[in-house]
Amino acid sequence: MAAESEAHARGFAIRMFTAAVAAQELFTSYLGLKLGFYRELAAGGPATPPELARQCGADVRYVREWLEQQAVAGILEVHDQAMPELDRRYLLPAGHAEALLGTDSPYSISPIAVLPMGATGRVLPALLDAYRTGGGVPYTEYGEDSRDGHVSSTRALFTNNLADWIRRFLPDIHNRLLISGRVADVGCGAGWASIALAKAYPDVHVDGFDLDQQSVLDARRNAAEHGVADRVSFEVRDCGDAELAGSYQLVCIFDALHDMSRPVEVLRTCRVLRANAGTVLVMDAKVPDQFTAPGGDVERFLHAASVLHCLPVGRSEEPSAATGTAMRPSTVRTYAVKAGFSDIAVLPVDDLYHRLYRLLD
């Protein structure tokens, strides 16, 4: 083997080993989240293996192994390393606790562990079959971890940024919603965008629509817990119903268009839902305008998400546009024009993962 080729092989082998370490640490973080280890350490403070095992209802030998691994990985800190194994006390640093457990924190990162580890792992056989046959994998097959992970990945964004984005970039819509109006949230998921809008605009009613029954049930519960159930409704319903036409000042699709099998039809329906001078607002993945290889970290993440989740979900119904997560602005414009829109603007929001599009006639 030539020296240059050997150096490349060695460098790639090191990269893949580093990736394997990171993947295993995500798996162990998944255990910590699902078994309540992180939450107990954050609430109760430093604990020994027997204490944490007792508090979480887990086996002490497994808990000891997990704590040691987390400390070696630098996720936890350990006091008195020279103490016997069962007497060492382990601490979750405050910053790590915010990232792992802070649901409304801008640094919330727990979905990164939940989505690939709990959701993708369970559908790997189905993914293999889909790649061989050209079929798809329905959203429901990814299970509870997928639903919870996707919800958590955008909850903080909606809570902290959505109303301010509308105020800054859609001032006409903002001023109307301050007075009254109706908003449609198409593909609402667990309802966090709807809830954020209802809290920001006390005189507005929000209707959330989703085809996943469990997501709608979760959304109703979340709205009730946050005191806006009187102004936010959620339904398992096709939002193309004629009686909804012309009802909404703002129609939103948040982080969902790229998953939809027939995005042009959905955008066409959103166009019909609008009242006069209403706006359709689309939030989706912030991929570069052009394909580039190799890409940056965000693009790498989004392309991998497409391989493992978004493209298979989008192909679970036929006919399918087979969009995938890497839905570039040119693709959004093409879909929007086919749906009847002529004024498509990319709003200059400062967000690492998402773009906003305003669609008008």
Side-chain angles (χ1 to χ4, degrees):
M1 181 183 293
E4 183 178 357
S5 179
E6 183 175 0
H8 284 168
R10 184 175 187 277
F12 182 70
I14 291 171
R15 173 188 166 180
M16 296 304 288
F17 174 76
T18 303
V21 172
Q24 291 191 104
E25 289 177 354
L26 282 178
F27 274 114
T28 60
S29 296
Y30 175 82
L31 292 177
L33 288 164
K34 300 297 285 187
L35 293 169
F37 296 161
Y38 291 132
R39 189 165 300 282
E40 182 58 39
L41 288 169
T48 64
E51 289 170 346
L52 187 61
R54 182 171 60 254
Q55 290 155 357
C56 295
D59 177 82
V60 68
R61 179 63 185 90
Y62 280 121
V63 170
R64 193 198 98 197
E65 197 77 5
W66 182 85
L67 287 168
E68 290 177 356
Q69 177 273 326
Q70 293 280 290
V72 169
I75 298 172
L76 300 181
E77 296 176 0
V78 58
H79 296 171
D80 304 322
Q81 294 190 41
M83 295 286 286
E85 296 162 339
L86 295 180
D87 294 329
R88 297 173 191 150
R89 305 190 74 80
Y90 295 84
L91 166 72
L92 178 63
H96 295 189
E98 180 179 354
L100 288 164
L101 302 170
T103 52
D104 289 334
S105 169
Y107 308 109
S108 174
I109 200 64
S110 62
I112 299 299
V114 170
L115 279 169
M117 302 304 118
T120 306
R122 66 179 280 158
V123 299
L124 284 176
L127 281 174
L128 291 173
D129 183 65
Y131 271 77
R132 291 183 178 120
T133 64
V137 181
Y139 177 77
T140 52
E141 287 195 23
Y142 286 81
E144 180 182 356
D145 282 333
S146 176
R147 186 171 59 251
D148 292 346
H150 281 98
V151 165
S152 300
S153 68
T154 52
R155 174 177 173 175
L157 182 72
F158 295 141
T159 300
N160 297 316
N161 299 96
L162 181 55
D164 186 57
W165 283 347
I166 293 173
R167 179 186 62 80
R168 287 191 289 153
F169 300 113
L170 304 174
D172 52 337
I173 295 295
H174 168 73
N175 290 331
R176 272 183 256 167
L177 295 181
L178 285 175
I179 300 170
S180 65
R182 294 181 71 186
V183 175
D185 184 1
V186 178
C188 63
W192 293 114
S194 299
I195 292 166
L197 289 170
K199 287 186 172 183
Y201 300 103
D203 294 315
V204 160
H205 187 92
V206 185
D207 294 324
F209 305 105
D210 204 290
L211 297 180
D212 181 60
Q213 184 173 13
Q214 186 57 53
S215 293
V216 168
L217 293 174
D218 291 343
R220 289 171 178 167
R221 184 187 67 249
N222 293 333
E225 290 177 355
H226 285 260
V228 294
D230 60 326
R231 294 185 296 109
V232 182
S233 64
F234 297 103
E235 295 184 66
V236 179
R237 183 177 183 179
D238 182 351
C239 58
D241 287 357
E243 66 182 77
L244 298 174
S247 299
Y248 300 98
Q249 282 72 44
L250 180 64
V251 180
C252 306
I253 306 176
F254 293 124
D255 203 26
L257 188 66
H258 67 266
D259 283 329
M260 294 176 174
S261 298
R262 292 178 286 280
V264 172
E265 291 183 21
V266 173
L267 289 175
R268 193 174 291 128
T269 295
C270 291
R271 187 166 173 264
V272 171
L273 290 175
R274 298 172 310 156
N276 290 334
T279 290
V280 174
L281 183 64
V282 175
M283 184 185 85
D284 222 290
K286 191 175 186 177
V287 291
D289 291 350
Q290 302 293 330
F291 172 77
T292 55
D297 288 346
V298 172
E299 191 169 11
R300 288 171 58 191
F301 176 82
L302 293 172
H303 271 276
S306 191
V307 167
L308 298 172
H309 181 273
C310 299
L311 181 57
V313 168
R315 297 192 71 183
S316 63
E317 295 181 14
E318 293 293 345
S320 174
T323 306
T325 317
M327 186 173 67
R328 305 188 193 280
S330 59
T331 302
V332 177
R333 289 189 176 96
T334 298
Y335 289 164
V337 169
K338 288 182 178 179
F341 295 98
S342 57
D343 185 355
I344 300 102
V346 181
L347 304 181
V349 298
D350 182 18
D351 183 70
L352 186 62
Y353 298 103
H354 300 98
R355 293 182 190 268
L356 278 180
Y357 302 85
R358 176 175 180 162
L359 311 183
L360 298 170
D361 291 338

